[in-house]
Amino acid sequence: MTVAAGPPALEPWLRARRAGGSKLLVPYLMGAMTEDWVEALQAVAAAGADAVEVGIPFSDPMMDGPVIQEASVRALDRGATPHQVIDDVAASGVQVPVAVMTYYNIVFRAGHRRMAQSLSAAGIGAAIVPDLPLEELGPWAEAADAASVATVLLVAPSTPAARVERICARARGFVYAVARMGVTGERESLGSETAEVVGRIRAATDAPVCVGVGVSTPSQARAACEIADGVVVGSALVRRLLEGGGPEAAGEFVGRLREALDEG
Amino acid sequence: MGPPGADGRFGEFGGRFVPESLVPACQELERAFSDAWADPEYRAKLDAILRDYGGRPTPVTECFRLSERLGVRVLLKREDLVHAGSHKLNNVVGQALLTQRMGKRRMVAETGAGQHGVAAATAAALLGLECTVYMGELDTERQELNVFRMELLGAQVRPVRSGSRTLKDAVNEALRDWVATVGHTHYCLGSVMGPHPFPYMVRELQRVVGDEARAQCRVLLDGRDPDVVVACVGGGSNAAGTFAGFVETAARLVGVEAAGGAAATNGIPGVLHGMRSLLLQDEAGQILEAESISAGLDYPGIGPEHASLGASGRAAYESATDDEVLAAFQLMAETEGILPALEPAHAIAWVVREAGRSVPEGSSVLVTLSGRGDKDVAQVRDLLATGRPPR
C-alpha cells in the first residue's frame, strides 16, 4: 500500500479545528467487526468525524462494556489480527487522523518498536492503550514518540489533581476525559463528574480535551461539548453496526452527531 | 519471599497495568495494607478470627498408608479443615477486615471452583459486608451447589457469559464492576495475581500456611524440613503461602498446574488482569482458554511471583493431566479417607507420578491440601460414570 499524503498529525489538526470554532467529533468503531467495516470507517470519516478511533480487538477487554465486548468477539471470530486491522486502515484512504485503541498485551506481544513503526507506516498517528497507566508507560511512549505516534492518555474522575498534571504533561494528541467511573457503554445521561474532570484537565493543559465513556446521543454530545472541546462516541455507533445497520447507518448517526455539535 | 520492588515487580513480573480509573484505588489499597500489616491491632484481630472462627492452626497429617504405597513419606497440610473448606478463608478475612478499615461496605469477588466465592461470602456475612461474586457460567454449572451455598451466605452470584465463561472472564467482570463502584467497594481478589499490591498482599495473607507447616514439619521430621514441598497452582495463592514458609530452607519447591492450563510451562510473557506474567496466548497476544476438570485451575496465567520463582529456578512448575488427577482423587479417598478438592488432587497426582522417580524413595514430601473435595463429588461421579479415568 502507499499513503500519498496521509492524514494530518492528530494534535495540530485538532487544535486547528478547535481554533476554527469547531467542536471535535471522534467516533469509535471496532476494526474488522463486520465484513464491510472499512466502508463504515470511510462513511464515518465522510460524515464529519474530526478523527476516528479504531479498536484492535483483544480477547479480554476489561475497560469495555457489553457492546464493545461483543464487537471484539465478532472481530476475533472473523479471524481479525492487529496486523490486518492496521493494513485495512492504511488501505482505506481515510484522510482524517486515526487513533487505534487496544489493550497493552497486543502492543507488548508485538513489541513496542514494531507496533509503533507499523502504525506509523500505515499512516496511523495515534494510539490509546487504556490499561497502560503513567507508571508503566515508559517503554511504549518512548517507541511511540520515536515513530511520531501520539499516545493519548486518559484522566478519570478518580484522578487527583497532582496526577492530572503529570498525565497531561505526557499526553499527546488530545486528553481523554473519562466521563464517569465505569466501563464503556451507552448511558441515560452524561456523568455528573464530567464537568469536574474536564475542569481539572483544563487547569493543567491547553491541549484538546475530548469526553468519552457513556456519551451516546447527539444531545449528550452537545452537552459534553459545552464544557469540553469534543467527544468520543463508541458504543452507540458500534451497536448500530452490530445490529446490521452497515456503513449507511453509521454515516447517518455520525452525521446527526456532527449536526448537533455544529448547532450547539 | 520479601516485598516486591517499588513498582510492584517480582523480577520482571508483576506491576500495575490498570485503567487510570483504578490507579488511585490500587494506591489506596497499597497504603491501607501496608499500614494494617504493620498494625498489631489488625494482626491480632485477623489471628483471632482465623483461630476462633476459622479453626487455625490446621494440622499436618502424616499419610501412613499412602506413604507405604508410594515409598515416600507424605505429609499433608490440612487447609481442607479450615472453616468454609479451603485456604481461601485466610485471604478473605484479611481483605474483609481491610475493607472495613478503608471505610468501604461492599466486596466483589471472582471465583472459579467457587471456593474463593464461598470464602468471600462467608467473610462478608461474618463482618456484615455486602458481597457480589462473579462466576463464569460454565463454572456455575459445574459447581451448582457452591452457587447455592454463596446465596445462602447472603452473596449475590452473577454468572458471566462472556468469553470462555470461566475464571478469567469472571476476573474481567469483577474488574468492570470495581471500576464503577470503587468508591464504596473493595475488590477481594482470590489469588496472588492482578495489579500490585494484590499478588504481594494475598501471599502475605496466605503465608500462615507455610509458616505453620514449617514448624509442624520440624516436629514430625525431628527438626528437619521436608525434602520436597508441593502445592497446586492456578493463580497460585496456596502455593505462594506455602512456599513463603519454605523458600529459606533447602526444600525443593514444586507447583503443579493443570495440564490444560500450564501457564508456567507453556506461557509467554504478557499482560493480563493488571499484571505482567506468563500467559497462555497466541501470536497476536489474544489470551487462550485454559481447559481443566478443575474449575479452580482453569486460568491461562500464573501469579507474577511464581513466574519470577520459576525464572530464578527457586521453584519448579510441573503439570498433571485430568486422568492422573482423578486417579489421585480416588487413591487419596481409599488410602487415607480424605476427599481432596480436584485442585490439590493435582499436587497429589504429581507426587504419585514422581515417587520413586524424581522424588527418591524415602524422601519426605509436604503437600498442601488446599481444600476439601465435597464440592467436586457430583462432578467426579459423572466423570467416573463416563468411563474415565483408567485406574
Side-chain angles (χ1 to χ4, degrees):
Chain A
M1 55 108 226
T2 52
V3 182
L10 183 61
E11 185 165 337
W13 167 252
L14 293 182
R15 281 178 182 270
R17 295 281 297 155
R18 181 176 64 177
S22 268
K23 290 301 184 180
L24 309 173
L25 176 56
V26 186
Y28 167 103
L29 73 170
M30 175 64 73
M33 62 176 287
T34 55
E35 186 76 44
D36 57 359
W37 88 274
V38 174
E39 285 82 4
L41 170 64
Q42 290 161 339
V44 161
D50 295 296
V52 185
E53 207 183 303
V54 171
I56 296 179
F58 177 52
S59 52
D60 293 81
M62 61 99 106
M63 180 69 191
D64 287 304
V67 170
I68 309 257
Q69 285 177 45
E70 174 62 22
S72 311
V73 169
R74 288 220 204 157
L76 292 172
D77 285 350
R78 293 186 63 247
T81 64
H83 201 69
Q84 184 221 328
V85 171
I86 292 168
D87 282 355
D88 282 357
V89 171
S92 71
V94 162
Q95 287 303 306
V96 297
V98 169
V100 294
M101 187 285 196
T102 194
Y103 287 84
Y104 183 49
N105 198 49
I106 298 293
V107 175
F108 185 79
R109 186 80 171 99
H112 298 115
R113 261 187 63 194
R114 224 184 96 209
M115 178 58 84
Q117 286 169 353
S118 52
L119 292 176
S120 179
I124 297 172
I128 305 173
V129 190
D131 59 344
L132 195 58
L134 202 55
E135 291 74 10
E136 301 286 359
L137 191 65
W140 161 251
E142 210 172 287
D145 284 354
S148 301
V149 172
T151 301
V152 174
L153 297 181
L154 286 74
V155 172
S158 56
T159 311
R163 190 174 164 83
V164 173
E165 274 181 35
R166 292 168 53 219
I167 292 172
C168 290
R170 192 63 197 76
R172 306 282 183 267
F174 64 90
V175 179
Y176 192 131
V178 178
R180 64 179 68 237
M181 294 299 287
V183 295
T184 60
E186 294 172 80
R187 302 297 205 292
E188 293 292 322
S189 64
L190 207 59
S192 57
E193 299 152 309
T194 311
E196 209 188 314
V197 183
V198 173
R200 259 180 277 151
I201 299 171
R202 292 279 196 221
T205 182
D206 70 342
V209 181
C210 295
V211 173
V213 179
V215 183
S216 350
T217 65
S219 69
Q220 285 174 6
R222 190 163 50 206
C225 282
E226 278 165 21
I227 44 178
D229 298 317
V231 286
V232 178
V233 180
S235 295
L237 172 61
V238 170
R239 177 174 55 77
R240 285 168 167 82
L241 289 166
L242 287 174
E243 287 167 357
E248 201 172 310
E252 188 267 341
F253 178 59
V254 171
R256 284 201 288 128
L257 290 167
R258 179 78 268 165
E259 248 169 61
L261 296 191
D262 290 348
E263 278 167 16
Chain B
M1 282 154 57
D7 54 358
R9 289 288 201 287
F10 300 97
E12 64 169 298
F13 301 104
R16 180 182 288 153
F17 297 86
V18 292
E20 176 57 29
S21 305
L22 288 179
V23 170
C26 290
Q27 291 171 336
E28 176 196 16
L29 181 62
E30 184 182 353
R31 283 189 301 269
F33 177 67
S34 150
D35 286 355
W37 207 229
D39 177 0
E41 209 174 303
Y42 169 88
R43 299 289 287 262
K45 218 165 168 181
L46 174 61
D47 289 349
I49 293 176
L50 292 180
R51 181 188 64 231
D52 303 334
Y53 179 77
R56 299 212 75 88
T58 59
V60 166
T61 300
E62 177 147 13
C63 296
F64 293 105
R65 294 188 65 215
L66 182 67
S67 298
E68 197 183 322
R69 179 103 162 229
L70 299 178
V72 301
R73 194 169 171 188
V74 180
L75 307 174
L76 298 180
K77 177 60 175 165
R78 298 293 304 279
E79 294 300 294
D80 58 319
L81 297 179
V82 179
H83 175 56
S86 79
H87 73 293
K88 296 291 187 186
L89 193 79
N90 308 328
N91 172 37
V92 295
V93 171
Q95 290 201 47
L97 287 172
L98 212 51
T99 304
Q100 287 186 325
R101 207 179 152 99
M102 290 188 289
K104 298 185 172 187
R105 60 176 157 82
R106 175 176 178 261
M107 296 200 298
V108 287
E110 82 295 339
T111 198
Q115 281 178 319
H116 173 57
V118 167
T122 300
L126 177 70
L127 295 177
L129 299 165
E130 294 167 46
C131 184
T132 300
V133 180
Y134 290 93
M135 188 169 188
E137 191 176 44
L138 195 64
D139 295 336
T140 62
E141 287 158 12
R142 289 195 283 196
Q143 297 290 344
E144 236 180 316
L145 270 180
N146 265 345
V147 173
F148 185 55
R149 203 166 283 154
M150 287 183 264
E151 288 169 349
L152 285 173
L153 291 163
Q156 187 190 25
V157 180
R158 295 194 186 151
V160 177
R161 298 190 174 85
S162 57
S164 54
R165 299 181 297 141
T166 63
L167 182 54
K168 93 175 164 79
D169 310 284
V171 176
N172 289 333
E173 219 44 51
L175 283 166
R176 290 178 186 127
D177 182 311
W178 197 33
V179 176
T181 58
V182 67
H184 59 75
T185 295
H186 169 65
Y187 180 12
C188 181
L189 228 164
S191 194
V192 288
M193 41 173 277
H196 179 58
F198 285 103
Y200 166 61
M201 176 176 73
V202 177
R203 180 252 280 167
E204 285 301 286
L205 291 170
Q206 290 293 0
R207 75 178 307 140
V208 63
V209 177
D211 287 344
E212 283 178 10
R214 186 181 51 202
Q216 291 164 318
C217 284
R218 284 189 176 166
V219 172
L220 284 163
L221 300 172
D222 302 321
R224 286 179 301 116
D225 297 310
D227 299 312
V228 188
V229 172
V230 190
C232 65
V233 177
S237 70
N238 89 81
T242 305
F243 292 176
F246 291 93
V247 76
E248 308 289 337
T249 73
R252 173 184 172 197
L253 306 179
V254 180
V256 185
E257 297 184 282
T265 311
N266 303 324
I268 293 167
V271 173
L272 179 70
H273 296 151
M275 63 182 175
R276 179 187 294 181
S277 193
L278 295 172
L279 307 172
L280 301 176
Q281 56 179 316
D282 71 11
E283 283 183 1
Q286 310 298 351
I287 306 303
L288 301 174
E289 294 172 8
E291 248 181 65
S292 156
I293 49 169
S294 144
L297 302 185
D298 245 0
Y299 186 70
I302 185 172
E305 192 169 23
H306 286 299
S308 174
L309 287 168
S312 72
R314 179 59 191 95
Y317 295 87
E318 315 226 0
S319 64
T321 65
D322 288 354
D323 286 349
E324 290 172 328
V325 169
L326 273 168
F329 180 96
Q330 290 171 277
L331 184 63
M332 184 55 75
E334 288 163 12
T335 58
E336 297 295 335
I338 295 172
L339 295 179
L342 284 173
E343 290 78 16
H346 284 70
I348 296 156
W350 181 84
V351 176
V352 170
R353 185 177 77 213
E354 294 301 319
R357 296 162 73 178
S358 79
V359 179
E361 211 165 303
S363 311
S364 54
V365 182
L366 174 77
V367 180
T368 296
L369 192 68
S370 56
R372 65 181 184 221
D374 307 55
K375 69 179 177 62
D376 297 316
V377 167
Q379 192 194 352
V380 167
R381 181 192 56 198
D382 293 347
L383 287 166
L384 294 176
T386 57
R388 335 175 32 188
R391 282 292 311 275

